[in-house]
Amino acid sequence: MNVRRSVIISRVLRLLDENEEELDRAMVFGDAGSEMRRLVADLLPDAVRKVLAEAPREKIDEAMSLTGLAHWNGDILELRLPADFLRLVDLRLDGWTECLHDFGEPEVIPEPETRGEVLRHHPRGPVAMHVARYKPAVTCCVGAGGRTLRIFGGVRGADMAVATYLPAPDDSADTQSVWIPRSLTGDVAHELANMVKDVIYG
């Protein structure tokens, strides 16, 4: 959900109240109150990025839909990633029984040679070609057009049943809100408070 940056900053300042006098003494700026808010605001994107990247999958209760230009390249489905992609949450193609949550190397399913061969059309008639079948897996590659997911283990032509991700926070200072899953807002506030203490106390 979108959370106003001012709400998170206020929550972090409340978390720091127990050490307010020590924090004020540690501040070397002229106006400790305004500088504290500025410091919290500056560290906010880093705290959000860290919490979202490290959160256990079972704690993530919200995610954004992963939509984009997808096409089949042989038996591999390729999906162009949005610019704000930070982390894969769930991915499942039609026909799969479970979702993938992380990247992993594709693994070929061992089969008898005859089952791995199919007839393909050729100008001189049908020919037998060996087709590798993969276990479900997803990798990420970077090319001239940006980052792309390569999805293995699907049946050519299958659609994505589920595809969600967590976005990286916008670093621009004029952004009024930041997207954080509801279940992780408290974690972000506590992480941000700890980052502020680390900066102040060295």
Side-chain angles (χ1 to χ4, degrees):
M1 67 178 184
N2 282 318
V3 184
R4 292 188 64 80
R5 293 169 69 100
S6 58
V7 171
I8 300 174
I9 292 170
S10 296
R11 185 169 180 177
V12 171
L13 292 175
R14 285 195 303 273
L15 287 172
L16 295 171
D17 274 349
E18 57 183 324
N19 296 316
E20 187 172 6
E21 291 182 7
E22 291 180 26
L23 288 170
D24 286 342
R25 283 197 297 270
M27 296 295 285
V28 294
F29 307 106
D31 181 351
S34 64
E35 291 299 336
M36 179 70 74
R37 281 185 171 76
R38 186 177 304 146
L39 176 61
V40 174
D42 288 346
L43 293 174
L44 177 57
D46 291 335
V48 172
R49 189 176 287 105
K50 184 175 189 298
V51 170
L52 266 58
E54 297 177 358
R57 168 62 192 91
E58 59 272 12
K59 194 168 183 180
I60 301 170
D61 65 343
E62 290 181 282
M64 300 187 77
S65 294
L66 188 56
T67 57
L69 183 61
H71 69 278
W72 285 91
N73 183 359
D75 293 320
I76 301 168
L77 180 61
E78 297 185 347
L79 172 67
R80 182 73 53 81
L81 289 172
D84 66 351
F85 179 88
L86 175 67
R87 171 184 173 179
L88 183 68
V89 176
D90 290 314
L91 191 141
R92 180 171 61 83
L93 296 185
D94 286 338
W96 290 2
T97 57
E98 296 181 356
C99 284
L100 296 177
H101 311 295
D102 298 300
F103 298 140
E105 290 302 315
E107 184 179 344
V108 176
I109 299 173
E111 293 184 302
E113 288 184 24
T114 54
R115 289 185 59 201
E117 292 184 356
V118 296
L119 292 179
R120 292 285 169 92
H121 291 290
H122 188 271
R124 296 180 182 173
V127 294
M129 296 180 63
H130 183 76
V131 177
R133 290 187 58 230
Y134 294 95
K135 292 182 179 179
V138 59
T139 63
C140 183
C141 60
V142 180
R147 293 178 296 172
T148 301
L149 287 186
R150 303 187 78 216
I151 304 165
F152 300 81
V155 176
R156 183 177 174 83
D159 292 325
M160 281 184 292
V162 178
T164 57
Y165 77 106
L166 294 182
D170 187 346
D171 289 338
S172 46
D174 58 347
T175 305
Q176 298 298 314
S177 62
V178 61
W179 195 93
I180 308 170
R182 185 183 309 273
S183 59
L184 298 178
T185 53
D187 292 15
V188 168
H190 282 87
E191 179 62 36
L192 189 46
N194 290 333
M195 285 182 168
V196 170
K197 290 177 184 178
D198 288 344
V199 169
I200 292 174
Y201 295 124

